[in-house]
Amino acid sequence: MGEKNYNVIGVMSGTSLDGIDCAYAKIGLSSSKDNSIYPSFTSDVIVAKTIPYPKKWKEILSTAHLLSREELDALNVDYTAHLAQVIKNFITTNDLTDIDVVCSHGHTVLHQPDEGVTLQIGNLPEIATLINHRVVCDFRVQDVEMGGQGAPLVPIGDQLIFGNYDYCLNLGGFANVSKDENGVRIAYDISPVNVVLNKYAQELGEEYDDGGAFAKAGTVHQPLLDKLNDILFYSLPAPKSLGIEWVHAHIFPLIEAVQLSSVDVLATFTEHVAIQLAAQFKEGASVLVTGGGAYNTYLLERVRFRESVKLVVPDAKLVEFKEALIFGLLGVLKLENLPNCLASVTGARHDHASGMLYES
């Protein structure tokens, strides 16, 4: 196929509500050296930024799963306009003129794949007109319609760009992991992380538990820890994925029932996450760790305590914008008509090229 290059903007908004991640990156394609259907890929994040949510949007998005269908439709229109403005400002601020495609995840409001439901707002066709660029977005819906979990979506990027690691671990609102197993990519959600930790850090006056300092100072409540670890989800086989509704149904009620201080909740839940993470890895494995939770040094320390693994935290650009970069790759794969959703990961009927393409 020779060499080919795309200049892309990858856009991601996670359940932890830190903000909207925008990454302008160059993605290169060249002929594959094996019999794979995929070319060889290179990637380089040129400029990236997280645009924090205003207080109003944080409040709206944190309770959006409770809205009626009509209210969600109205929110989708408003959020699409907000997201478009954020992307336009990112383009203008960084004087970006050479853009082949904008690839956006949107923001997940509902995710109940076992009931055939997933909704990422901000993916209406109008977004392409609003930003005046070609857009690939709404990557999850097709996979759910094909019997898949619609998540996680990042593992194809782990395979094609970061395949030299034994595991790729993302620590965001939720933790998810991907790995190669007998030549097949396997991935799944592990547990909630920042969607819970941030809530209790905010009760202590901070946006997040910086370095895990609160958790380190707290006391683990063993009865709560035992109940958390006994939750059925953790014993289920992959493919499996989590949504914010699940956290409200299964995590917060257990925590609220014991009436602990916020510091002790953070200590207990951090230990819970460390136990669930450590259980995924083979001893001595190399693990690429990205997402905001990669900065939680106490959490990583507790993982290492429970399993001897090499946790590799890369440079800040990759830690913070790996998901945005990979959504750029998902868009490129869609344009190239190559599978960007793997049946081995999501449980869909077969691999497929997911996402909607909207021209400006």
Side-chain angles (χ1 to χ4, degrees):
M1 66 174 291
E3 294 190 359
K4 199 171 184 179
N5 291 287
Y6 284 91
N7 298 315
V8 307
I9 296 177
V11 184
M12 174 67 191
S13 172
T15 48
S16 56
L17 296 177
D18 296 333
I20 298 169
D21 295 337
C22 295
Y24 176 69
K26 294 186 178 295
I27 295 177
L29 295 71
S30 59
S31 298
S32 176
K33 296 177 182 177
D34 54 29
N35 293 322
S36 170
I37 64 168
Y38 294 103
S40 296
F41 285 92
T42 59
S43 65
D44 184 20
V45 176
I46 308 302
V47 62
K49 184 174 178 61
T50 299
I51 297 86
Y53 279 114
K55 184 179 179 181
K56 179 194 86 166
W57 273 110
K58 267 196 169 184
E59 292 173 349
I60 291 170
L61 295 176
S62 66
T63 57
H65 63 286
L66 301 174
L67 298 178
S68 68
R69 183 73 246 187
E70 293 76 15
E71 291 169 328
L72 281 174
D73 289 343
L75 176 61
N76 203 351
V77 173
D78 291 344
Y79 184 78
T80 298
H82 174 70
L83 184 60
Q85 190 60 55
V86 166
I87 296 169
K88 285 173 66 176
N89 290 346
F90 177 74
I91 292 170
T92 302
T93 300
N94 294 289
D95 195 26
L96 304 177
T97 57
D98 190 5
I99 302 167
D100 294 310
V101 63
V102 175
C103 311
S104 179
H105 170 270
H107 183 84
T108 299
V109 169
L110 300 174
H111 188 64
Q112 301 162 10
D114 294 338
E115 298 179 21
V117 174
T118 190
L119 172 64
Q120 289 69 46
I121 58 174
N123 290 327
L124 295 177
E126 292 84 350
I127 192 168
T129 304
L130 289 170
I131 67 174
N132 196 31
H133 284 285
R134 178 167 56 167
V135 174
V136 179
C137 61
D138 214 7
F139 293 97
R140 297 189 189 274
V141 173
Q142 178 178 301
D143 191 78
V144 170
E145 289 174 348
M146 295 176 61
Q149 289 284 307
L153 296 178
V154 168
I156 185 65
D158 294 341
Q159 174 180 310
L160 296 176
I161 300 178
F162 304 106
N164 52 317
Y165 294 94
D166 295 321
Y167 302 87
C168 288
L169 173 67
N170 181 68
L171 299 176
F174 297 91
N176 53 65
V177 68
S178 79
K179 60 183 177 179
D180 183 272
E181 197 169 274
N182 300 319
V184 176
R185 201 74 191 178
I186 303 295
Y188 48 91
D189 283 348
I190 301 170
S191 71
V193 186
N194 293 334
V195 71
V196 175
L197 298 181
N198 289 0
K199 170 181 165 63
Y200 291 96
Q202 286 159 15
E203 291 184 0
L204 293 165
E206 300 292 340
E207 283 300 303
Y208 56 93
D209 188 4
D210 190 4
F214 287 139
K216 191 171 185 177
T219 300
V220 172
H221 187 274
Q222 192 64 45
L224 174 59
L225 181 62
D226 292 341
K227 287 181 180 179
L228 289 168
N229 288 330
D230 284 343
I231 292 173
L232 176 62
F233 176 85
Y234 301 123
S235 62
L236 298 176
K240 56 182 179 177
S241 62
L242 293 167
I244 189 64
E245 312 97 301
W246 184 91
V247 178
H248 283 278
H250 296 277
I251 299 293
F252 291 141
L254 289 178
I255 294 174
E256 290 162 4
V258 293
Q259 298 183 325
L260 300 178
S261 67
S262 296
V263 168
D264 288 350
V265 170
L266 287 165
T268 305
F269 200 79
T270 297
E271 192 67 16
H272 166 63
V273 174
I275 290 169
Q276 297 306 322
L277 296 181
Q280 313 307 315
F281 308 130
K282 293 180 180 178
E283 184 176 354
S286 62
V287 184
L288 178 67
V289 187
T290 56
Y295 295 128
N296 190 327
T297 51
Y298 179 66
L299 172 59
L300 300 190
E301 177 186 314
R302 296 306 299 164
V303 174
R304 292 189 188 96
F305 173 80
R306 292 188 169 275
E307 187 63 66
S308 178
V309 291
K310 183 180 180 183
L311 301 179
V312 181
V313 179
D315 63 70
K317 264 187 187 175
L318 199 53
V319 165
E320 297 169 23
F321 299 102
K322 173 173 171 273
E323 283 202 312
L325 166 65
I326 290 181
F327 275 98
L329 174 66
L330 292 178
V332 168
L333 291 170
K334 174 69 175 180
L335 294 177
E336 292 287 323
N337 199 31
L338 289 169
N340 56 17
C341 281
L342 301 175
S344 61
V345 169
T346 68
R349 288 187 287 276
H350 53 76
D351 295 351
H352 56 103
S354 191
M356 298 299 296
L357 171 62
Y358 301 129
E359 300 289 348
S360 61

